[in-house]
C-alpha cells in the first residue's frame, strides 16, 4: 500500500439538518463547537496520519499499528464533519492499540466536498469499511469501532447487525441514548461524553448495558463541548486499555 502525508489544520465542523423522524431530528440537533486539534507531544518515531486511496470511494485517513500494520480500529466522525482532525487527536493512543482508519462520510455537506455525513444504510457503511481495510491489506473482523455523534449512531447499528465484526465499541456524544437491546451481542463498550455536552445520554447508555450484563463503562472528556476532543490521547488510551483488559478476560463472542 502507498500512503501520502496529509496536514490539515483548523478544521471546522458544521451541521446539516436532515430527515423528519425522531432519530433524524436528534442527529440534526447535534452542533459541534469546533474542530479537534492535533496532539502536540513529540512522538518517536514520528506519527503521521496519512491519506490512503480507496478504490471507488473517498480516501481514508490512517494511523497504522506498530510496524506499519493495517489498523484494527475504525473511526466514524460526526455529521458534516471531517475525520482527519479526530484521528490526529489520539494518534499516539491509536498506534499503541493497533492503529485506526478514519472513514469519511459518503454524503457531501457542501459544494466543496470537504465536510461530509454518512448515509444511514448500515450495509453501505459496512461495505465501505471492508473495502477500505482491504485497500491496506487488512480484514474487517473483530474490530473496535469508534463513533462520534452521527458516527456513534452508525457504529451502534453496525454492531447490532454484525456483532462478530464490530465486537467492541467506543461511542462519544451519541445523539440518542445507546440501546442495550441493539448492543446485546457485543463484547463491551465505552461510553464517553464531553464534560459540557449532554452527559445523561452516555451515562444512561452505559447504565443500560451494565443492567443487561453487557460490559460497559462511562468516561468523560474534561472541558469538552460537543465535537471537541481535548485530552484525547489520555482519555482514548484509557478507554482502549479498558477494552483490551476486557478482551483479556475473554467474554465469549456471540
Amino acid at each position: 500500500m502507498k500512503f501520502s502525508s496529509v496536514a490539515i489544520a483548523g478544521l471546522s465542523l458544521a451541521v446539516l439538518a436532515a430527515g423528519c423522524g425522531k432519530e433524524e431530528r436528534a442527529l440534526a440537533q447535534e452542533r459541534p463547537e469546533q474542530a479537534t486539534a492535533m496532539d502536540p507531544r513529540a512522538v518517536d518515531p514520528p506519527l503521521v496520519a496519512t491519506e490512503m486511496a480507496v478504490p471507488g470511494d473517498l480516501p481514508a485517513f490512517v494511523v497504522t499499528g506498530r510496524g506499519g500494520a493495517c489498523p484494527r480500529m475504525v473511526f466514524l466522525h460526526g455529521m458534516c464533519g471531517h475525520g482527519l482532525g479526530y484521528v490526529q487527536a489520539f494518534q499516539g493512543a491509536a498506534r499503541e492499540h493497533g492503529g485506526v482508519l478514519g472513514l469519511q462520510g459518503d454524503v457531501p455537506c457542501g459544494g466543496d466536498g470537504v465536510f461530509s455525513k454518512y448515509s444511514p444504510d448500515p450495509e453501505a457503511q459496512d461495505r465501505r469499511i471492508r473495502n477500505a481495510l482491504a485497500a491496506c491489506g487488512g480484514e474487517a473482523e473483530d474490530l473496535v469501532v469508534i463513533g462520534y455523534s452521527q458516527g456513534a449512531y452508525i457504529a451502534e447499528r453496525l454492531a447490532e447487525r454484525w456483532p462478530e465484526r464490530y465486537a467492541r465499541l467506543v461511542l462519544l456524544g451519541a445523539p440518542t441514548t445507546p440501546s442495550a437491546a441493539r448492543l446485546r451481542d457485543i463484547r463491551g463498550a465505552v461510553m464517553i461524553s464531553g464534560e459540557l455536552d449532554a452527559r445523561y445520554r452516555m451515562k444512561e447508555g452505559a447504565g443500560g448495558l451494565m443492567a443487561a450484563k453487557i460490559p460497559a463503562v462511562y468516561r468523560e472528556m474534561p472541558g469538552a463541548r460537543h465535537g471537541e476532543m481535548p485530552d484525547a490521547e489520555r482519555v482514548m488510551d484509557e478507554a482502549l486499555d479498558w477494552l483490551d483488559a476486557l478482551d483479556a478476560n475473554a467474554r465469549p463472542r456471540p
Side-chain angles (χ1 to χ4, degrees), residues 147-234:
Y148 204 135
S149 193
Q150 191 202 21
Y153 175 93
I154 298 294
E156 185 178 346
R157 282 142 187 84
L158 290 169
E160 177 185 22
R161 190 76 169 271
W162 299 280
E164 72 291 344
R165 180 172 299 149
Y166 306 101
R168 293 157 291 164
L169 280 70
V170 180
L171 303 182
L172 301 97
T176 56
T177 300
S179 163
R182 284 198 177 97
L183 300 178
R184 62 187 177 276
D185 292 325
I186 66 167
R187 284 154 62 191
V190 181
M191 306 290 177
I192 300 177
S193 176
E195 181 185 8
L196 306 178
D197 200 355
R199 295 179 292 176
Y200 71 91
R201 292 191 194 115
M202 308 314 291
K203 285 184 176 179
E204 290 177 357
L209 265 65
M210 288 187 283
K213 303 190 183 306
I214 302 165
V217 68
Y218 172 77
R219 294 286 184 264
E220 279 187 12
M221 201 159 281
R225 295 184 291 271
H226 191 75
E228 298 177 341
M229 288 184 73
D231 205 13
E233 287 284 11
R234 179 187 64 81

Side-chain angles (χ1 to χ4, degrees), residues 77-82 104-109 114-118:
H77 60 73
M79 180 176 283
C80 295
H82 193 287
Q104 295 195 65
D106 53 340
V107 179
C109 288
V114 174
F115 301 106
S116 61
K117 62 180 180 178
Y118 299 96

